[in-house]
């Protein structure tokens, strides 16, 4: 890819704010040497560059090629083809430098194609996938030319490579926060598992949805029932936790819907996202989120949940 093309990619990557609340996503398309096309949310991409010299180091996990030095930072390099059990002899010419979940790393790929914009409502969770990529592809979308793009769950891939940190033990907080339920929405099985572990240890009841559209339908149903019964909704739902990236409706649009519906007044919305940069936190603030927690930090998540739900309980008295 020509240098000018690389600079154009970086310029587009830096122009993120205009997508907040639009229910659109920009995908960086790339290949791993086969016929498949893969994509990663541009929000997670810091830059794209030609492959740099990779230093092999001992005791690296499978899928990690080594490390590189980039502008004074030492970054691990993950061979995406190896991580997906799709290794081949095609040359790997590009590095995608990514930043999410407060980690920065490089993904080694065969080649980078272009950036495309897609509507979240045209993105669907896969019904079934081959065993070698099962759990590592979070969604699929179809481009206007009919080409299918597999959107990678890079958090799951990173977790598989470096391992999961165990969720610590927390003291139950039922007396502090009351009997209200926490509602959360996240399309990632890994994220849902982590959230549920935290909530189970806090002894907080919960409901969840797999994407923003499903979440909004469930939340409206709960609100309609409370309205019909003349009940205080904030005594039933103490907090709503949303992911930023979700098929069909993203967390920004979901938050905007919640904040525009008077029935949810007084119920805090917290964004729990791997998009951990300052810019992405500001995007959440633009649509009205009350708090922001980066994935995956169980102590910070537990503290945020406890404080927010305690405040909701006190305000509802």
């Amino acid at each position: 890819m020509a240098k000018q093309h690389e600079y154009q990619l970086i310029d587009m990557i830096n122009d993120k704010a205009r997508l907040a609340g639009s229910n659109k996503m920009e995908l960086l398309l790339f290949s791993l040497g086969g016929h498949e096309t893969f994509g990663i949310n541009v929000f997670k991409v810091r830059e794209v560059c030609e492959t740099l010299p990779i230093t092999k180091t001992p005791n690296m996990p499978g899928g990690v090629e080594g490390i590189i030095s980039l502008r004074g930072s030492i970054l691990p390099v993950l061979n995406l083809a190896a991580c997906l059990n799709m290794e081949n002899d095609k040359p790997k010419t590009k590095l995608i430098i990514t930043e999410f979940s407060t980690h920065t790393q490089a993904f080694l790929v065969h080649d980078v194609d272009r950036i495309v914009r897609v509507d979240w409502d045209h993105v669907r969770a896969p019904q079934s996938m081959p065993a070698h990529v099962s759990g590592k592809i979070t969604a699929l979308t179809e481009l206007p030319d009919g080409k299918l793009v597999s959107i990678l769950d890079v958090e799951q891939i990173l977790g598989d490579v470096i391992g999961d940190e165990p969720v610590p033990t927390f003291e139950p907080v039922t007396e502090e926060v009351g009997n209200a339920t926490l509602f959360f929405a996240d399309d990632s099985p890994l994220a849902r598992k982590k959230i549920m572990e935290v909530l189970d240890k806090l002894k907080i009841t919960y409901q969840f949805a797999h994407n923003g559209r499903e979440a909004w339908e469930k939340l409206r149903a709960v609100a309609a029932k409370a309205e019909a019964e003349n009940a205080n909704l904030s005594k039933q739902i103490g907090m709503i936790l949303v992911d930023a990236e979700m098929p069909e409706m993203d967390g920004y649009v979901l938050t905007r819907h919640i904040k525009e519906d008077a029935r949810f007044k007084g119920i805090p919305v917290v964004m729990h996202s791997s998009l951990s940069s300052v810019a992405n936190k500001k995007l959440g603030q633009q649509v009205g989120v009350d708090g922001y927690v980066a994935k995956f930090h169980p102590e910070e998540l537990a503290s945020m949940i406890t404080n927010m739900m305690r405040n909701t309980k006190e305000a509802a008295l």
Side-chain angles (χ1 to χ4, degrees):
M1 183 172 59
K3 288 290 183 183
Q4 183 179 2
H5 191 187
E6 290 187 18
Y7 295 144
Q8 289 172 346
L9 282 174
I10 295 169
D11 289 341
M12 292 183 74
I13 287 165
N14 290 330
D15 188 16
K16 299 174 180 177
R18 56 197 162 84
L19 293 179
S22 67
N23 209 41
K24 294 182 184 294
M25 168 180 57
E26 286 182 345
L27 285 174
L28 176 64
L29 305 184
F30 60 91
S31 68
L32 298 178
H35 298 295
E36 302 92 339
T37 298
F38 296 93
I40 181 173
N41 192 333
V42 166
F43 275 34
K44 294 177 178 174
V45 178
R46 201 171 74 183
E47 63 180 288
V48 176
C49 63
E50 300 288 342
T51 302
L52 299 172
I54 299 173
T55 301
K56 301 286 187 179
T57 58
N59 303 318
M60 280 290 187
V64 178
E65 289 288 298
I67 57 176
I68 59 170
S69 176
L70 182 66
R71 299 187 185 88
S73 298
I74 304 299
L75 305 180
V77 178
L78 280 70
N79 180 344
L80 270 184
C83 292
L84 296 175
N85 298 312
M86 297 175 63
E87 188 64 296
N88 54 62
D89 58 2
K90 294 290 183 67
K92 299 171 179 65
T93 66
K94 297 294 186 295
L95 288 172
I96 303 174
I97 312 301
T98 61
E99 185 175 27
F100 57 88
S101 298
T102 65
H103 293 280
T104 303
Q105 52 281 311
F107 287 131
L108 182 63
V109 302
H110 169 62
D111 201 5
V112 170
D113 184 3
R114 65 191 190 277
I115 288 175
V116 296
R117 182 177 295 185
V118 299
D119 293 324
W120 271 114
D121 55 8
H122 293 159
V123 177
R124 295 288 184 268
Q127 298 301 311
S128 62
M129 295 299 295
H132 66 283
V133 295
S134 180
K136 297 175 183 176
I137 292 177
T138 188
L140 298 168
T141 192
E142 185 175 358
L143 301 181
D145 62 5
K147 181 181 292 184
L148 285 177
V149 177
S150 299
I151 303 172
L152 293 182
D153 188 342
V154 286
E155 292 90 347
Q156 181 70 60
I157 292 171
L158 188 62
D160 289 344
V161 170
I162 67 174
D164 276 342
E165 293 184 10
V167 174
T169 299
F170 299 115
E171 291 294 325
V173 296
T174 308
E175 290 187 9
E176 294 181 59
V177 306
N179 296 318
T181 293
L182 182 143
F183 188 98
F184 71 88
D186 203 302
D187 67 305
S188 167
L190 175 63
R192 292 197 300 270
K193 174 177 174 287
K194 289 290 189 182
I195 294 167
M196 287 188 280
E197 286 181 12
V198 169
L199 294 172
D200 286 339
K201 292 188 176 184
L202 292 173
K203 302 297 183 187
I204 292 176
T205 59
Y206 54 84
Q207 298 180 44
F208 66 88
H210 297 84
N211 60 61
R213 190 174 303 280
E214 178 190 342
W216 184 227
E217 291 172 356
K218 288 185 174 182
L219 286 168
R220 284 192 299 175
V222 173
K225 186 173 185 293
E227 194 173 36
E229 297 172 353
N230 199 28
N232 187 339
L233 186 60
S234 63
K235 289 186 177 180
Q236 299 179 25
I237 300 177
M239 176 179 150
I240 300 169
L241 188 71
V242 301
D243 184 23
E245 304 173 275
M246 292 185 288
E248 302 190 43
M249 180 187 292
D250 67 21
Y252 301 109
V253 174
L254 175 58
T255 299
R256 193 181 65 214
H257 284 327
I258 294 168
K259 291 299 182 179
E260 289 175 350
D261 192 325
R263 296 175 297 182
F264 294 93
K265 184 178 180 180
I267 300 175
V269 179
V270 172
M271 189 159 281
H272 181 232
S273 174
S274 60
L275 305 176
S276 52
S277 70
V278 172
N280 287 306
K281 292 179 183 179
K282 288 182 178 178
L283 295 182
Q285 292 169 356
Q286 287 177 17
V287 294
V289 297
D290 301 285
Y292 194 104
V293 181
K295 294 177 180 177
F296 294 103
H297 299 281
E299 292 92 347
E300 294 178 22
L301 179 59
S303 176
M304 178 71 77
I305 290 170
T306 302
N307 290 333
M308 288 288 183
M309 292 190 70
R310 183 194 296 122
N311 292 340
T312 305
K313 177 190 174 186
E314 291 173 354
L317 294 177

